[in-house]
């Protein structure tokens, strides 16, 4: 069961039980919706971007422990970053989860999700929030899906 | 991780009646069951998605390719004749299996989905017009919803939906009210894949026929678990998939009463289905060829024939009794686990244990069970309206087949307690 413990680390349970930044944002200027039709995970991401910098990030939705923790950790990590830095995190996180190489990016706390790599069926749960972030930054009107 | 270990050796709990069926012998017929995943014995509980195949089916398909492979209905040579005889022989087996009046009423298709699309595209487009109504239920699989929506959009018809109760039964008073002089077709699952409910199809068919409305039954889940007699049911159409009844993927059956099939325009055009072709006009073949354009899934049909022989060899009543005992055992075990809730508690129910755990998303349940060798489904089961009814994003689902045992139910329940333990609940 050791690989299960690698996936379900304490930090992930903590963020699943008490997701950070779990609220709607009245004055958001970027929002996007993400949906994983396979498992029904849904989330709405709210960003306040000011002069190229993400000054606030929050989300709402329902999903599994992995997708909830991922969104919680992501919104924490985004606050105070420039849009460019956020895009760097997106690529770094993607590489971490899929095990693909790339220039290593310092992901800080996000690295607790690295165990997902051993669970290919769960990669989409971990990346849903990030794809939604991409959509929010591109300001696409359409909801993104993982399919 | 003691839960799933030694599963095969464990005996059913004392005091329960042993099933009449020799399950260990049946299990020996299914090669795929005898393996370990992640170092644990495989417990395959995703039978509603697809069933495993007995050696007899695997051998029939490879024997066909090794000895008889040829196209059907077109050659004068020996192999073509053998292939045609085998293929058409399976139609005879299907006729007996469903007790259809004639082989002309049985169309080979890819599966239930194609069967329903065929009816929507032919019967539907010929007979359903603007303002007409198609009556479905809230517990339908997407494949018995979307083809009707596509049709309704094309012709301007309306979809009406019979609601379900919280136990997962159809609200029959609503059904009777929704059946009006505008209803042109009732399409309903014989057995629900998301809830396990066996619908009162006799009553539905009786009421629909009294109103002059034909009925299509989606038998994808019912065919492997309930004895089906289309003449006794008096349904107008019946659809099922080979792969859910221990046969190959890519082959299924549409039964239709001859009077409807004669009346319906062809589905696809091409070879096999024509009598004469010229550029001014083509005439269509007789039933069932009219609905079987192109080279069919011949080996798939041969495999389906072997699957039907296999199922009839055991007997659907014996299969149903065994599965019922396993399901009852599982329901009782589920009720004994705090925080576990079964979704779908219809009085008439078969083979499906859909459930949720407090505080744990079904997708996480699925992953943690998987690592213990337990194959279940987590998701909406292609029945999003059912999920909406219960305000759930998804459920976990264990679904039973003839080869499942109470010992496997014990392994499942131990696995579920492990899930709760991992989540600290
Ligand atoms: C009730 C029901 N109807 C239809 C289908 C579709 O069957 P197939 O995918 O074999 O066409 C399924 C399969 O999941 C089902 O459970």
């Amino acid at each position: 069961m050791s690989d299960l413990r690698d996936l379900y680390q304490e930090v992930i349970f903590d963020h699943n039980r008490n997701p950070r930044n779990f609220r709607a944002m009245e004055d958001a200027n970027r929002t996007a919706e993400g949906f994983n039709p396979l498992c029904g995970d849904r989330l709405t991401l709210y960003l306040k971007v000011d002069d190229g910098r993400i000054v606030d990030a929050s989300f709402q939705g329902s999903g599994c422990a992995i997708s909830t923790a991922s969104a919680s950790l992501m919104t924490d990590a985004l606050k105070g970053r420039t849009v460019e830095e956020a895009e760097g995190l997106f690529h770094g996180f993607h590489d971490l989860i899929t095990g693909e190489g790339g220039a290593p990016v310092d992901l800080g706390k996000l690295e607790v999700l690295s165990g997902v790599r051993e669970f290919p069926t769960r990669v989409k749960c971990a990346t849903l929030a990030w794809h939604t972030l991409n959509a929010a930054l591109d300001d696409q009107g359409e909801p993104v899906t993982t399919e | 991780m003691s839960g799933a270990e030694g599963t095969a050796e464990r005996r059913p709990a004392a005091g329960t009646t042993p099933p009449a069926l020799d399950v260990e012998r049946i299990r020996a017929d299914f090669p795929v069951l005898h393996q370990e995943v992640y170092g644990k014995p495989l417990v395959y509980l995703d039978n509603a998605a697809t069933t495993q195949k007995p050696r007899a089916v695997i051998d029939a398909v490879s024997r066909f390719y090794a000895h008889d492979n040829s196209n059907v209905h077109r050659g004068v040579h020996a192999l073509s004749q053998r292939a045609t005889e085998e293929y058409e022989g399976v139609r005879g087996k299907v006729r007996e299996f469903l007790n259809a009046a004639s082989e002309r009423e049985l169309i080979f298709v890819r599966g239930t989905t194609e069967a329903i699309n065929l009816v929507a595209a032919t019967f539907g487009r010929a007979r359903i017009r603007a303002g007409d109504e198609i009556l479905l239920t809230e517990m339908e699989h997407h494949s018995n919803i979307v083809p009707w929506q596509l049709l309704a959009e094309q012709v301007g018809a309306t979809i009406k939906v019979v609601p379900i109760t919280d136990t997962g039964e159809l609200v029959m008073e609503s059904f009777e009210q929704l059946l009006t002089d505008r209803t042109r077709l009732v399409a309903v699952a014989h057995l629900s894949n998301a809830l396990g409910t066996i619908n009162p199809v006799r009553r539905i068919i009786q009421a629909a026929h009294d109103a002059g409305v034909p009925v299509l039954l989606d038998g994808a889940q019912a065919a492997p678990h309930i004895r089906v007699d289309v003449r006794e049911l008096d349904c107008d159409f019946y659809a099922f998939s080979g792969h859910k009844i221990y046969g190959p993927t890519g082959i299924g059956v549409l039964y239709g009463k001859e009077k409807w099939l004669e009346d319906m325009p062809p589905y696809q055009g091409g070879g096999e289905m024509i009598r004469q072709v010229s550029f001014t006009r083509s005439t269509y073949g007789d039933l069932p060829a009219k609905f079987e354009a192109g080279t069919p899934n011949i080996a798939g049909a041969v495999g389906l024939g072997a699957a039907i022989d296999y199922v009839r060899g055991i007997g659907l009543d014996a299969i149903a009794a065994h599965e019922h005992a396993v399901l009852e055992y599982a329901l009782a075990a589920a009720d004994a686990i705090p925080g576990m809730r079964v979704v779908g508690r219809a009085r008439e129910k078969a083979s499906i244990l859909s459930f949720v755990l407090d505080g744990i998303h079904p997708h996480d349940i699925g992953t943690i069970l998987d690592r213990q060798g337990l194959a279940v489904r987590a998701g909406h089961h292609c029945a999003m309206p059912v999920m909406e009814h219960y305000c759930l994003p998804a459920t976990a689902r264990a679904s039973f087949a003839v080869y499942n045992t109470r010992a496997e139910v014990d392994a499942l329940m131990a696995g579920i307690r492990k899930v709760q333990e991992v989540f600290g609940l």
Side-chain angles (χ1 to χ4, degrees):
Chain A
M1 286 292 200
S2 64
D3 45 356
L4 272 180
R5 284 289 167 210
D6 290 344
L7 178 66
Y8 293 107
Q9 300 197 27
E10 255 329 298
V11 181
I12 289 177
F13 284 128
D14 176 36
H15 280 259
N16 179 45
R17 272 190 294 267
N18 307 300
R20 320 294 197 266
N21 314 305
F22 192 79
R23 60 191 153 80
M25 198 191 296
E26 292 289 309
D27 56 346
N29 53 13
R30 304 280 171 81
T31 66
E33 279 178 36
F35 179 48
N36 180 345
L38 228 58
C39 51
D41 289 357
R42 285 172 193 281
L43 73 88
T44 308
L45 180 68
Y46 304 89
L47 299 176
K48 195 154 95 186
V49 180
D50 188 11
D51 197 18
R53 194 172 286 278
I54 298 169
V55 293
D56 199 8
S58 72
F59 77 104
Q60 277 192 313
S62 80
C64 63
I66 305 301
S67 85
T68 304
S70 180
S72 171
L73 286 157
M74 180 188 82
T75 45
D76 257 357
L78 289 177
K79 282 191 254 181
R81 304 267 188 169
T82 64
V83 168
E84 213 166 284
E85 285 167 342
E87 280 163 1
L89 283 180
F90 171 88
H91 292 296
F93 186 76
H94 188 266
D95 291 348
L96 175 80
I97 297 301
T98 58
E100 282 163 25
V105 178
D106 180 12
L107 292 168
K109 259 190 168 179
L110 297 172
E111 294 196 7
V112 298
L113 283 158
S114 64
V116 173
R117 204 186 299 156
E118 302 303 322
F119 293 78
T121 58
R122 306 304 298 277
V123 166
K124 285 174 177 174
C125 307
T127 53
L128 177 64
W130 291 88
H131 287 295
T132 311
L133 168 68
N134 246 358
L137 292 178
D138 291 351
D139 220 1
Q140 298 165 353
E142 290 285 296
V144 293
T145 86
T146 54
E147 289 309 294
Chain B
M1 199 32 256
S2 58
E5 273 162 24
T7 299
E9 287 77 41
R10 251 194 283 158
R11 292 282 145 239
T16 51
T17 343
L21 212 134
D22 186 350
V23 188
E24 285 313 317
R25 248 184 66 194
I26 288 170
R27 292 182 69 81
D29 294 335
F30 290 81
V32 89
L33 295 177
H34 308 282
Q35 64 175 295
E36 296 196 336
V37 291
Y38 311 110
K40 317 278 183 219
L42 169 67
V43 177
Y44 186 78
L45 298 173
D46 194 17
N47 295 289
T50 199
T51 51
Q52 299 302 344
K53 319 306 172 197
R55 174 64 70 196
V57 167
I58 299 168
D59 287 349
V61 172
S62 51
R63 207 183 317 112
F64 174 78
Y65 279 127
H67 297 285
D68 305 325
N69 177 55
S70 181
N71 211 325
V72 290
H73 300 142
R74 18 186 111 156
V76 291
H77 55 81
L79 261 54
S80 172
Q81 207 169 326
R82 278 200 321 247
T84 305
E85 272 164 23
E86 283 195 60
Y87 180 73
E88 289 303 326
V90 176
R91 211 184 300 273
K93 289 180 186 184
V94 175
R95 193 199 66 71
E96 287 173 18
F97 182 64
L98 296 179
N99 194 30
S102 145
E103 288 169 26
R104 295 162 56 80
E105 298 179 316
L106 298 161
I107 318 293
F108 285 124
V109 289
R110 251 188 328 128
T112 306
T113 303
E114 188 175 54
I116 297 171
N117 276 279
L118 188 158
V119 177
T122 60
F123 177 90
R125 253 190 282 142
R127 296 186 156 258
I128 297 176
R129 315 217 176 287
D132 288 349
E133 294 174 359
I134 302 160
L135 187 50
L136 310 178
T137 85
E138 198 179 359
M139 70 170 85
E140 296 313 309
H141 188 279
H142 295 165
S143 64
N144 199 25
I145 299 174
V146 184
W148 305 116
Q149 283 175 331
L150 291 170
L151 172 70
E153 275 166 30
Q154 281 169 3
V155 303
T158 309
I159 307 279
K160 295 280 172 178
V161 183
V162 181
I164 57 174
T165 65
D166 288 345
T167 57
E169 295 176 342
L170 293 177
V171 181
M172 289 304 285
E173 299 73 49
S174 303
F175 166 71
E176 274 143 26
Q177 282 159 13
L178 288 166
L179 191 63
T180 69
D181 57 4
R182 292 197 181 165
T183 312
R184 291 291 166 268
L185 182 77
V186 174
V188 52
H190 192 173
L191 165 51
S192 153
N193 70 308
L195 300 166
T197 310
I198 302 172
N199 282 317
V201 290
R202 276 188 190 75
R203 197 175 145 194
I204 289 171
I205 292 165
Q206 184 73 58
H209 284 180
D210 287 348
V213 180
V215 178
L216 175 142
L217 294 183
D218 169 353
Q221 293 300 333
H225 305 294
I226 305 172
R227 198 156 47 78
V228 176
D229 180 333
V230 290
R231 273 191 286 176
E232 189 200 323
L233 286 171
D234 200 25
C235 57
D236 297 274
F237 297 101
Y238 199 94
F240 75 93
S241 300
H243 71 97
K244 292 188 199 281
I245 182 164
Y246 313 107
T249 53
I251 186 78
V253 173
L254 171 67
Y255 159 83
K257 280 185 183 166
E258 192 165 338
K259 64 167 179 179
W260 299 124
L261 294 178
E262 281 291 0
D263 209 41
M264 281 151 53
Y267 179 41
Q268 296 176 330
E272 299 279 355
M273 53 77 71
I274 41 76
R275 181 168 293 135
Q276 281 203 333
V277 175
S278 78
F279 281 105
T280 44
R281 198 176 119 78
S282 300
T283 52
Y284 308 124
D286 279 339
L287 291 175
K290 176 172 141 190
F291 292 102
E292 291 184 8
T295 300
N297 183 355
I298 306 165
V302 169
L304 174 62
I308 288 174
D309 286 344
Y310 185 82
V311 165
R312 295 182 81 202
I314 301 170
L316 257 172
D317 291 336
I319 293 173
H322 167 72
E323 290 172 347
H324 185 72
V326 172
L327 179 65
E328 288 292 312
Y329 183 72
L331 287 168
D335 286 341
I337 295 185
M340 179 167 180
R341 185 159 63 86
V342 173
V343 179
R345 299 220 67 142
R347 281 157 297 180
E348 294 293 323
K349 182 173 161 77
S351 71
I352 305 265
L353 183 77
S354 233
F355 64 94
V356 290
L357 297 179
D358 288 345
I360 310 176
H361 191 279
H363 216 178
D364 296 310
I365 300 172
T367 293
I368 300 172
L369 291 180
D370 175 49
R371 292 287 154 146
Q372 301 174 71
L374 292 150
V376 302
R377 192 68 171 264
H380 52 61
H381 317 297
C382 296
M384 285 190 181
V386 172
M387 299 299 125
E388 220 163 278
H389 177 94
Y390 292 99
C391 300
L392 294 168
T395 70
R397 180 187 72 185
S399 49
F400 304 107
V402 64
Y403 40 66
N404 290 124
T405 64
R406 292 174 209 220
E408 289 181 309
V409 172
D410 291 340
L412 171 66
M413 298 305 161
I416 286 167
R417 281 188 294 268
K418 182 80 200 176
V419 173
Q420 293 175 319
E421 197 186 304
V422 170
F423 267 71
L425 293 168

